[in-house]
PDB file of all heavy atoms in Angstrom:
ATOM      1  N   MET A  32      43.350 -58.614 113.161  1.00 98.00           N
ATOM      2  CA  MET A  32      43.652 -57.235 112.713  1.00 98.00           C
ATOM      3  C   MET A  32      42.454 -56.306 112.686  1.00 98.00           C
ATOM      4  O   MET A  32      42.401 -55.342 111.933  1.00 98.00           O
ATOM      5  CB  MET A  32      44.304 -57.260 111.316  1.00 98.00           C
ATOM      6  CG  MET A  32      45.729 -57.656 111.342  1.00 98.00           C
ATOM      7  SD  MET A  32      45.908 -59.420 111.493  1.00 98.00           S
ATOM      8  CE  MET A  32      45.773 -59.883 109.784  1.00 98.00           C
ATOM      9  N   ASN A  86      32.481 -56.096  98.191  1.00 98.00           N
ATOM     10  CA  ASN A  86      31.957 -56.565  99.459  1.00 98.00           C
ATOM     11  C   ASN A  86      33.144 -57.127 100.255  1.00 98.00           C
ATOM     12  O   ASN A  86      33.381 -58.323 100.324  1.00 98.00           O
ATOM     13  CB  ASN A  86      30.904 -57.623  99.173  1.00 98.00           C
ATOM     14  CG  ASN A  86      30.113 -58.024 100.404  1.00 98.00           C
ATOM     15  OD1 ASN A  86      30.584 -57.846 101.536  1.00 98.00           O
ATOM     16  ND2 ASN A  86      28.955 -58.558 100.210  1.00 98.00           N
ATOM     17  N   GLY A  87      33.917 -56.225 100.786  1.00 98.00           N
ATOM     18  CA  GLY A  87      35.247 -56.564 101.340  1.00 98.00           C
ATOM     19  C   GLY A  87      36.249 -56.587 100.196  1.00 98.00           C
ATOM     20  O   GLY A  87      35.869 -56.746  99.026  1.00 98.00           O
ATOM     21  N   SER A  88      37.515 -56.365 100.502  1.00 98.00           N
ATOM     22  CA  SER A  88      38.498 -56.413  99.407  1.00 98.00           C
ATOM     23  C   SER A  88      38.696 -57.830  98.918  1.00 98.00           C
ATOM     24  O   SER A  88      39.133 -58.048  97.797  1.00 98.00           O
ATOM     25  CB  SER A  88      39.820 -55.733  99.788  1.00 98.00           C
ATOM     26  OG  SER A  88      40.292 -56.199 100.985  1.00 98.00           O
ATOM     27  N   ASP A  89      38.347 -58.828  99.740  1.00 98.00           N
ATOM     28  CA  ASP A  89      38.381 -60.206  99.263  1.00 98.00           C
ATOM     29  C   ASP A  89      37.570 -60.372  97.968  1.00 98.00           C
ATOM     30  O   ASP A  89      37.988 -61.091  97.051  1.00 98.00           O
ATOM     31  CB  ASP A  89      37.795 -61.166 100.323  1.00 98.00           C
ATOM     32  CG  ASP A  89      38.762 -61.414 101.467  1.00 98.00           C
ATOM     33  OD1 ASP A  89      39.939 -61.024 101.365  1.00 98.00           O
ATOM     34  OD2 ASP A  89      38.308 -61.990 102.485  1.00 98.00           O
ATOM     35  N   GLU A  90      36.428 -59.715  97.929  1.00 98.00           N
ATOM     36  CA  GLU A  90      35.600 -59.865  96.727  1.00 98.00           C
ATOM     37  C   GLU A  90      36.300 -59.274  95.502  1.00 98.00           C
ATOM     38  O   GLU A  90      36.134 -59.752  94.381  1.00 98.00           O
ATOM     39  CB  GLU A  90      34.240 -59.157  96.925  1.00 98.00           C
ATOM     40  CG  GLU A  90      33.292 -59.461  95.742  1.00 98.00           C
ATOM     41  CD  GLU A  90      31.988 -58.710  95.831  1.00 98.00           C
ATOM     42  OE1 GLU A  90      31.988 -57.478  96.015  1.00 98.00           O
ATOM     43  OE2 GLU A  90      30.947 -59.374  95.709  1.00 98.00           O
ATOM     44  N   ILE A  92      39.627 -59.217  95.117  1.00 98.00           N
ATOM     45  CA  ILE A  92      40.665 -60.199  94.756  1.00 98.00           C
ATOM     46  C   ILE A  92      40.036 -61.244  93.815  1.00 98.00           C
ATOM     47  O   ILE A  92      40.592 -61.620  92.792  1.00 98.00           O
ATOM     48  CB  ILE A  92      41.280 -60.843  96.003  1.00 98.00           C
ATOM     49  CG1 ILE A  92      41.979 -59.800  96.873  1.00 98.00           C
ATOM     50  CG2 ILE A  92      42.249 -61.979  95.627  1.00 98.00           C
ATOM     51  CD1 ILE A  92      42.417 -60.298  98.242  1.00 98.00           C
ATOM     52  N   PHE A 112      49.244 -62.905 102.150  1.00 97.00           N
ATOM     53  CA  PHE A 112      47.832 -63.098 102.439  1.00 97.00           C
ATOM     54  C   PHE A 112      47.333 -64.356 101.743  1.00 97.00           C
ATOM     55  O   PHE A 112      47.476 -64.501 100.516  1.00 97.00           O
ATOM     56  CB  PHE A 112      47.073 -61.861 101.958  1.00 97.00           C
ATOM     57  CG  PHE A 112      45.637 -61.810 102.334  1.00 97.00           C
ATOM     58  CD1 PHE A 112      45.235 -62.063 103.658  1.00 97.00           C
ATOM     59  CD2 PHE A 112      44.684 -61.496 101.404  1.00 97.00           C
ATOM     60  CE1 PHE A 112      43.896 -61.984 104.005  1.00 97.00           C
ATOM     61  CE2 PHE A 112      43.331 -61.411 101.748  1.00 97.00           C
ATOM     62  CZ  PHE A 112      42.950 -61.660 103.060  1.00 97.00           C
ATOM     63  N   TYR A 115      45.047 -64.876  98.279  1.00 98.00           N
ATOM     64  CA  TYR A 115      45.493 -64.787  96.860  1.00 98.00           C
ATOM     65  C   TYR A 115      45.556 -66.192  96.261  1.00 98.00           C
ATOM     66  O   TYR A 115      45.116 -66.411  95.140  1.00 98.00           O
ATOM     67  CB  TYR A 115      46.884 -64.143  96.746  1.00 98.00           C
ATOM     68  CG  TYR A 115      47.028 -62.795  97.421  1.00 98.00           C
ATOM     69  CD1 TYR A 115      48.227 -62.419  98.033  1.00 98.00           C
ATOM     70  CD2 TYR A 115      45.968 -61.861  97.423  1.00 98.00           C
ATOM     71  CE1 TYR A 115      48.389 -61.188  98.635  1.00 98.00           C
ATOM     72  CE2 TYR A 115      46.139 -60.633  98.040  1.00 98.00           C
ATOM     73  CZ  TYR A 115      47.338 -60.310  98.651  1.00 98.00           C
ATOM     74  OH  TYR A 115      47.482 -59.086  99.252  1.00 98.00           O
ATOM     75  N   ALA A 157      51.150 -57.414  98.906  1.00 98.00           N
ATOM     76  CA  ALA A 157      50.558 -56.734 100.060  1.00 98.00           C
ATOM     77  C   ALA A 157      51.576 -55.750 100.624  1.00 98.00           C
ATOM     78  O   ALA A 157      52.719 -56.117 100.894  1.00 98.00           O
ATOM     79  CB  ALA A 157      50.161 -57.767 101.111  1.00 98.00           C
ATOM     80  N   PRO A 159      51.660 -52.645 103.489  1.00 98.00           N
ATOM     81  CA  PRO A 159      52.525 -53.597 104.168  1.00 98.00           C
ATOM     82  C   PRO A 159      52.020 -55.058 104.011  1.00 98.00           C
ATOM     83  O   PRO A 159      50.869 -55.272 103.707  1.00 98.00           O
ATOM     84  CB  PRO A 159      52.464 -53.205 105.623  1.00 98.00           C
ATOM     85  CG  PRO A 159      51.977 -51.795 105.630  1.00 98.00           C
ATOM     86  CD  PRO A 159      51.107 -51.653 104.436  1.00 98.00           C
ATOM     87  N   ASN A 161      50.985 -58.871 105.058  1.00 98.00           N
ATOM     88  CA  ASN A 161      50.379 -59.695 106.102  1.00 98.00           C
ATOM     89  C   ASN A 161      50.836 -61.118 105.801  1.00 98.00           C
ATOM     90  O   ASN A 161      50.671 -61.567 104.679  1.00 98.00           O
ATOM     91  CB  ASN A 161      48.845 -59.573 105.957  1.00 98.00           C
ATOM     92  CG  ASN A 161      48.091 -60.548 106.860  1.00 98.00           C
ATOM     93  OD1 ASN A 161      48.672 -61.149 107.751  1.00 98.00           O
ATOM     94  ND2 ASN A 161      46.806 -60.673 106.618  1.00 98.00           N
ATOM     95  N   ASP A 186      48.247 -54.337  97.455  1.00 98.00           N
ATOM     96  CA  ASP A 186      47.159 -54.483  98.442  1.00 98.00           C
ATOM     97  C   ASP A 186      47.517 -53.670  99.691  1.00 98.00           C
ATOM     98  O   ASP A 186      48.364 -54.069 100.483  1.00 98.00           O
ATOM     99  CB  ASP A 186      46.976 -55.973  98.753  1.00 98.00           C
ATOM    100  CG  ASP A 186      45.861 -56.246  99.744  1.00 98.00           C
ATOM    101  OD1 ASP A 186      45.346 -55.292 100.380  1.00 98.00           O
ATOM    102  OD2 ASP A 186      45.494 -57.439  99.888  1.00 98.00           O
ATOM    103  N   ALA A 188      45.811 -52.924 102.461  1.00 98.00           N
ATOM    104  CA  ALA A 188      44.810 -53.111 103.517  1.00 98.00           C
ATOM    105  C   ALA A 188      45.222 -52.361 104.791  1.00 98.00           C
ATOM    106  O   ALA A 188      44.352 -51.952 105.584  1.00 98.00           O
ATOM    107  CB  ALA A 188      44.674 -54.607 103.828  1.00 98.00           C
ATOM    108  N   TYR A 189      46.527 -52.152 104.982  1.00 98.00           N
ATOM    109  CA  TYR A 189      47.030 -51.528 106.215  1.00 98.00           C
ATOM    110  C   TYR A 189      47.534 -50.119 106.021  1.00 98.00           C
ATOM    111  O   TYR A 189      48.329 -49.636 106.810  1.00 98.00           O
ATOM    112  CB  TYR A 189      48.107 -52.454 106.842  1.00 98.00           C
ATOM    113  CG  TYR A 189      47.546 -53.805 107.128  1.00 98.00           C
ATOM    114  CD1 TYR A 189      47.727 -54.853 106.224  1.00 98.00           C
ATOM    115  CD2 TYR A 189      46.768 -54.027 108.259  1.00 98.00           C
ATOM    116  CE1 TYR A 189      47.148 -56.094 106.460  1.00 98.00           C
ATOM    117  CE2 TYR A 189      46.192 -55.244 108.497  1.00 98.00           C
ATOM    118  CZ  TYR A 189      46.371 -56.283 107.589  1.00 98.00           C
ATOM    119  OH  TYR A 189      45.794 -57.487 107.830  1.00 98.00           O
ATOM    120  N   LEU A 210      44.565 -51.935  96.051  1.00 98.00           N
ATOM    121  CA  LEU A 210      43.423 -52.504  96.785  1.00 98.00           C
ATOM    122  C   LEU A 210      43.440 -51.920  98.182  1.00 98.00           C
ATOM    123  O   LEU A 210      44.490 -51.887  98.831  1.00 98.00           O
ATOM    124  CB  LEU A 210      43.645 -54.019  96.815  1.00 98.00           C
ATOM    125  CG  LEU A 210      42.488 -54.887  97.265  1.00 98.00           C
ATOM    126  CD1 LEU A 210      41.294 -54.726  96.354  1.00 98.00           C
ATOM    127  CD2 LEU A 210      42.954 -56.348  97.229  1.00 98.00           C
ATOM    128  N   THR A 212      40.772 -51.336 101.931  1.00 98.00           N
ATOM    129  CA  THR A 212      39.600 -51.834 102.658  1.00 98.00           C
ATOM    130  C   THR A 212      39.410 -50.924 103.872  1.00 98.00           C
ATOM    131  O   THR A 212      40.353 -50.277 104.331  1.00 98.00           O
ATOM    132  CB  THR A 212      39.826 -53.295 103.097  1.00 98.00           C
ATOM    133  OG1 THR A 212      38.714 -53.692 103.905  1.00 98.00           O
ATOM    134  CG2 THR A 212      41.092 -53.460 103.928  1.00 98.00           C
ATOM    135  N   SER A 214      38.239 -52.489 106.518  1.00 98.00           N
ATOM    136  CA  SER A 214      38.168 -53.519 107.541  1.00 98.00           C
ATOM    137  C   SER A 214      39.160 -53.328 108.671  1.00 98.00           C
ATOM    138  O   SER A 214      38.876 -53.650 109.821  1.00 98.00           O
ATOM    139  CB  SER A 214      38.409 -54.898 106.930  1.00 98.00           C
ATOM    140  OG  SER A 214      37.377 -55.243 106.048  1.00 98.00           O
ATOM    141  N   LYS A 215      40.368 -52.843 108.352  1.00 98.00           N
ATOM    142  CA  LYS A 215      41.410 -52.798 109.359  1.00 98.00           C
ATOM    143  C   LYS A 215      41.420 -51.473 110.094  1.00 98.00           C
ATOM    144  O   LYS A 215      42.305 -51.246 110.921  1.00 98.00           O
ATOM    145  CB  LYS A 215      42.764 -53.099 108.695  1.00 98.00           C
ATOM    146  CG  LYS A 215      42.775 -54.349 107.788  1.00 98.00           C
ATOM    147  CD  LYS A 215      42.497 -55.608 108.585  1.00 98.00           C
ATOM    148  CE  LYS A 215      42.012 -56.826 107.764  1.00 98.00           C
ATOM    149  NZ  LYS A 215      42.870 -57.351 106.746  1.00 98.00           N
ATOM    150  N   ARG A 222      32.095 -54.862 105.668  1.00 98.00           N
ATOM    151  CA  ARG A 222      32.523 -55.520 104.439  1.00 98.00           C
ATOM    152  C   ARG A 222      32.532 -54.533 103.252  1.00 98.00           C
ATOM    153  O   ARG A 222      31.612 -54.506 102.441  1.00 98.00           O
ATOM    154  CB  ARG A 222      31.625 -56.742 104.077  1.00 98.00           C
ATOM    155  CG  ARG A 222      31.427 -57.755 105.170  1.00 98.00           C
ATOM    156  CD  ARG A 222      32.734 -58.311 105.695  1.00 98.00           C
ATOM    157  NE  ARG A 222      33.509 -59.010 104.696  1.00 98.00           N
ATOM    158  CZ  ARG A 222      34.801 -58.750 104.432  1.00 98.00           C
ATOM    159  NH1 ARG A 222      35.449 -57.847 105.122  1.00 98.00           N
ATOM    160  NH2 ARG A 222      35.436 -59.428 103.509  1.00 98.00           N
ATOM    161  N   LEU A 223      33.545 -53.707 103.242  1.00 98.00           N
ATOM    162  CA  LEU A 223      33.655 -52.720 102.158  1.00 98.00           C
ATOM    163  C   LEU A 223      35.124 -52.542 101.798  1.00 98.00           C
ATOM    164  O   LEU A 223      35.927 -52.154 102.625  1.00 98.00           O
ATOM    165  CB  LEU A 223      33.032 -51.390 102.610  1.00 98.00           C
ATOM    166  CG  LEU A 223      33.061 -50.249 101.586  1.00 98.00           C
ATOM    167  CD1 LEU A 223      32.243 -50.593 100.334  1.00 98.00           C
ATOM    168  CD2 LEU A 223      32.523 -48.961 102.214  1.00 98.00           C
ATOM    169  N   GLY A 224      35.432 -52.863 100.558  1.00 98.00           N
ATOM    170  CA  GLY A 224      36.791 -52.668 100.046  1.00 98.00           C
ATOM    171  C   GLY A 224      36.733 -51.912  98.727  1.00 98.00           C
ATOM    172  O   GLY A 224      35.656 -51.748  98.156  1.00 98.00           O
TER     173      GLY A 224
HETATM  174  C1  PLP B 401      42.569 -58.355 105.888  1.00 80.91           C
HETATM  175  C2  PLP B 401      43.166 -58.318 104.548  1.00 80.91           C
HETATM  176  C3  PLP B 401      42.368 -58.244 103.389  1.00 80.91           C
HETATM  177  C4  PLP B 401      40.877 -58.481 103.404  1.00 80.91           C
HETATM  178  O1  PLP B 401      40.164 -57.451 103.747  1.00 80.91           O
HETATM  179  P1  PLP B 401      38.570 -57.409 103.632  1.00 80.91           P
HETATM  180  O2  PLP B 401      38.330 -56.091 103.012  1.00 80.91           O
HETATM  181  O3  PLP B 401      38.088 -57.526 105.032  1.00 80.91           O
HETATM  182  O4  PLP B 401      38.099 -58.523 102.733  1.00 80.91           O
HETATM  183  C5  PLP B 401      42.999 -58.090 102.165  1.00 80.91           C
HETATM  184  N1  PLP B 401      44.321 -58.069 102.063  1.00 80.91           N
HETATM  185  C6  PLP B 401      45.125 -58.152 103.141  1.00 80.91           C
HETATM  186  C7  PLP B 401      46.592 -58.135 102.958  1.00 80.91           C
HETATM  187  C8  PLP B 401      44.560 -58.295 104.400  1.00 80.91           C
HETATM  188  O5  PLP B 401      45.365 -58.466 105.456  1.00 80.91           O
END
Side-chain angles (χ1 to χ4, degrees):
M32 283 79 85
N86 189 338
S88 51
D89 284 349
E90 188 185 51
I92 297 170
F112 189 48
Y115 307 145
N161 172 13
D186 182 347
Y189 301 97
L210 192 60
T212 175
S214 293
K215 311 296 160 63
R222 308 304 298 128
L223 180 63

